[in-house]
Amino acid sequence: MPKNRGYADRKVEIRELRQIFLIICEGEKTEPNYFMSFRVSTTVKKIDVRGFGYNPIKLVQEAKELKAQGDYDQIWCVFDRDDWPKQDFNNAIANAESSTTVHLLVEELNKFIR
């Protein structure tokens, strides 16, 4: 009698898609250098870090425009209160929070300024 040469059920591993991140910072050098020094997980395909030197409102707007281009899975804005007017700072946070496309990383101590 011939051997059964059919295919046996095999377990198939499902690999998670590796994401591409963009971190945009208000600082042009310090913050990008800080984030580029991090070790990157193997579950991340790429992290692009850019320093624009924009105020928080412009930074959030830039993040939304870059997200609309579709090149990144996640976009994070990084800024702090520093010398920006309180109104600009709060408007930038409200603008980002009203969007599902932009994540915020705001200096922890500045949460108490709002």
Side-chain angles (χ1 to χ4, degrees), residues 40-96:
V40 178
S41 168
T42 57
T43 60
V44 174
K45 184 173 184 178
K46 178 182 176 186
I47 296 180
D48 189 9
V49 182
R50 298 185 195 173
F52 286 96
Y54 296 160
N55 70 32
I57 292 174
K58 177 75 173 132
L59 201 65
V60 170
Q61 187 59 41
E62 183 72 22
K64 287 182 172 185
E65 290 170 10
L66 289 168
K67 181 64 176 176
Q69 293 175 6
D71 297 333
Y72 300 97
D73 298 304
Q74 290 191 39
I75 297 184
W76 288 79
C77 282
V78 179
F79 56 87
D80 56 17
R81 175 77 165 78
D82 281 350
D83 298 324
W84 306 115
K86 185 177 180 180
Q87 189 65 28
D88 287 354
F89 182 77
N90 291 339
N91 287 342
I93 290 172
N95 188 3

Side-chain angles (χ1 to χ4, degrees), residues 7-55:
Y7 293 100
D9 290 336
R10 289 189 261 168
K11 290 184 181 179
V12 177
E13 294 288 328
I14 297 174
R15 186 171 52 167
E16 232 178 272
L17 293 176
R18 294 171 52 198
Q19 292 194 339
I20 300 173
F21 290 78
L22 172 63
I23 301 173
I24 62 173
C25 311
E26 74 177 306
E28 295 179 71
K29 294 181 182 176
T30 305
E31 289 91 342
N33 288 339
Y34 174 73
F35 287 108
M36 286 188 282
S37 71
F38 285 9
R39 280 197 234 168
V40 178
S41 168
T42 57
T43 60
V44 174
K45 184 173 184 178
K46 178 182 176 186
I47 296 180
D48 189 9
V49 182
R50 298 185 195 173
F52 286 96
Y54 296 160
N55 70 32

